[in-house]
Amino acid sequence: MTDQYGRQIDYMRISVTDRCNLRCIYCMPEEGVEQTSHGEILTYGEIARVAKAAAGLGVTRVRLTGGEPLVRRDLGRLVSMLTALDQVEEVALTTNGVLLGEQIEELAAAGLGSVNISLDTLEREQYACVARRDELDRVLLSLEKMREYPWIQVKLNCVPLAGYNEDQWCRLAELAGERDMDVRFIEMMPLGLGEKFPLCSQETVLQRLREAFGPERPAKGKDALAGRGPAFYVTFEGFRGRVGFISALSHKFCGSCNRVRLSAEGFLKPCLQYEGGTDLRRLLRQGASEQEIAGAIRQAVWEKPACHQFEQPRGEGTEKKNMNRIGG
Ligand code: SAM
Ligand code: SF4
């Protein structure tokens, strides 16, 4: 499936809930959010129908996200439904890791292919301050547990936050040194609560890492070679894994964007910055056929904006939701 700018869209991020068991300072307000009722979010059957239609149009990879996807009951069942789709080559998960250790057996049995664990610090008090919950130990246990599933690729994602976790960037990168695991630094997107934080750019983090580990070398790897995804990877002397950067602001990658997002409420969103998209839930619940759903997906993809304009003052149509509702 290509858009009007010739970009091939083969990746769908699917949010399964906007609820979460953490309250990260840049993502959810402390008091929580007004909860979307169960009837408003897509059922697993509805998600699978959308994924089937998208797969028929060329989507080969799907990622489950949220909110925290593991707070939704029986996620393994959805993973099984998605891995059963012929054209889907990989079902991945993005999680804060708190519940991963207890659910990984079921998820692995369902065919989960890879997991991104979000972890901004390895220091307990700092974690409790950023995530507003004292859950670091459970995340670290989950990370350890993942060693029992070596066929499931694990990556760590950290959002660098000036004034919060600077002293952790090298400690987190060291995990890529010790384990054959990618550790990635993701620039804060000025969306929702994230808008209040100053940008901590790729260059700022990389400079810190150079001071600790010496000059970086470009890293090769499956994603880098296949040109998959927006991450830029490097490695350092003696490192087993890679350090990646996803830098939507300092190194804009819209020209090679390959993704669309489906919100928990069934809204198909072609670009993170803008509110625009298509209400697939309405179509699904009106009894639309698979061809009609496919047609709506194709149209939304065709109209995908050329690029974000986070560097400009926010204009009409800019997304106002927090990341937990968009499906980061
Ligand atoms: N709860 C899961 C988690 O934390 O991995 C999945 C959803 S969360 C919204 C997905 C990712 O988005 C996390 O890695 C989080 O750090 C990141 N995120 C949240 N708000 C962000 C923002 N404004 N800019 C960049 N990344 C953000
Ligand atoms: Fe929850 Fe993930 Fe948002 Fe943190 S980043 S509040 S874990 S949804």
Side-chain angles (χ1 to χ4, degrees):
M1 187 170 29
T2 47
D3 70 7
Q4 61 182 308
Y5 303 102
R7 293 172 295 193
Q8 200 190 334
I9 309 304
D10 57 8
Y11 177 41
M12 182 178 272
R13 295 177 72 98
I14 300 176
S15 172
V16 298
T17 180
D18 52 10
R19 298 181 187 203
C20 188
N21 46 359
L22 300 181
R23 292 284 179 275
C24 300
I25 49 174
Y26 50 83
C27 182
M28 276 179 93
E30 184 156 25
E31 64 278 12
V33 289
E34 202 182 310
Q35 298 201 333
T36 312
S37 71
H38 287 299
E40 287 172 287
I41 64 170
L42 296 191
T43 63
Y44 286 166
E46 289 170 332
I47 293 174
R49 280 195 70 200
V50 173
K52 186 172 181 216
L57 294 168
V59 167
T60 55
R61 288 197 303 143
V62 296
R63 174 173 299 279
L64 302 179
T65 180
E68 172 48 39
L70 297 180
V71 301
R72 184 151 173 191
R73 199 173 303 166
D74 204 11
L75 194 71
R77 189 160 66 83
L78 178 62
V79 173
S80 302
M81 291 162 89
L82 298 176
T83 51
L85 298 172
D86 281 344
Q87 300 95 329
V88 172
E89 292 164 13
E90 185 182 73
V91 178
L93 174 73
T94 293
T95 171
N96 59 34
V98 175
L99 299 170
L100 184 63
E102 33 190 279
Q103 296 189 24
I104 186 59
E105 191 176 342
E106 187 193 339
L107 296 167
L112 188 71
S114 76
V115 181
N116 289 355
I117 301 177
S118 304
L119 183 57
D120 296 332
T121 171
L122 292 163
E123 209 275 309
R124 191 169 162 191
E125 279 177 24
Q126 211 175 75
Y127 185 95
C129 171
V130 173
R132 297 202 189 95
R133 298 286 185 274
D134 184 10
E135 294 284 17
L136 177 65
D137 289 350
R138 288 169 88 189
V139 181
L140 295 180
L141 280 174
S142 296
L143 188 57
E144 219 27 56
K145 179 105 183 154
M146 289 311 296
R147 289 185 193 269
E148 295 169 29
Y149 301 85
W151 64 92
I152 300 181
Q153 192 189 19
V154 178
K155 293 179 190 157
L156 283 192
N157 287 338
C158 163
V159 177
L161 290 158
Y164 286 92
N165 65 1
E166 285 117 320
D167 61 325
Q168 297 292 302
W169 304 342
C170 293
R171 283 191 68 194
L172 285 161
E174 260 165 350
L175 294 177
E178 291 158 16
R179 261 167 96 155
D180 186 9
M181 179 171 73
D182 293 343
V183 174
R184 300 154 0 137
F185 294 93
I186 303 185
E187 280 181 358
M188 178 79 75
M189 309 277 278
L191 275 169
L193 291 168
E195 216 175 336
K196 299 203 178 92
F197 292 83
L199 175 67
C200 218
S201 73
Q202 170 175 324
E203 195 48 34
T204 308
V205 178
L206 194 48
Q207 191 49 37
R208 244 335 140 85
L209 303 187
R210 282 181 193 130
E211 285 160 18
F213 308 119
E216 75 278 13
R217 290 195 311 268
K220 295 206 169 66
K222 149 168 117 158
D223 302 357
L225 287 177
R228 271 179 23 165
F232 154 73
Y233 287 101
V234 299
T235 191
F236 296 91
E237 186 65 38
F239 269 46
R240 295 179 63 200
R242 306 179 299 173
V243 175
F245 295 89
I246 301 182
S247 311
L249 281 106
S250 70
H251 295 73
K252 206 165 168 174
F253 44 77
C254 302
S256 58
C257 185
N258 64 345
R259 63 202 55 200
V260 287
R261 292 178 154 80
L262 181 68
S263 80
E265 292 157 89
F267 191 75
L268 188 71
K269 192 174 159 59
C271 176
L272 202 53
Q273 184 179 4
Y274 303 103
E275 289 175 321
T278 299
D279 183 0
L280 293 180
R281 183 183 67 187
R282 189 175 49 82
L283 278 182
L284 285 161
R285 294 187 181 174
Q286 277 171 354
S289 67
E290 194 166 327
Q291 285 93 320
E292 285 168 321
I293 295 165
I297 296 173
R298 197 185 280 116
Q299 186 63 29
V301 163
W302 183 256
E303 289 165 8
K304 185 174 162 73
C307 58
H308 75 67
Q309 295 191 321
F310 283 125
E311 62 281 10
Q312 312 271 349
R314 307 290 174 274
E316 268 296 289
T318 298
E319 184 59 82
K320 291 168 200 70
K321 296 190 190 86
N322 281 323
M323 211 59 145
N324 72 301
R325 290 206 59 205
I326 300 171

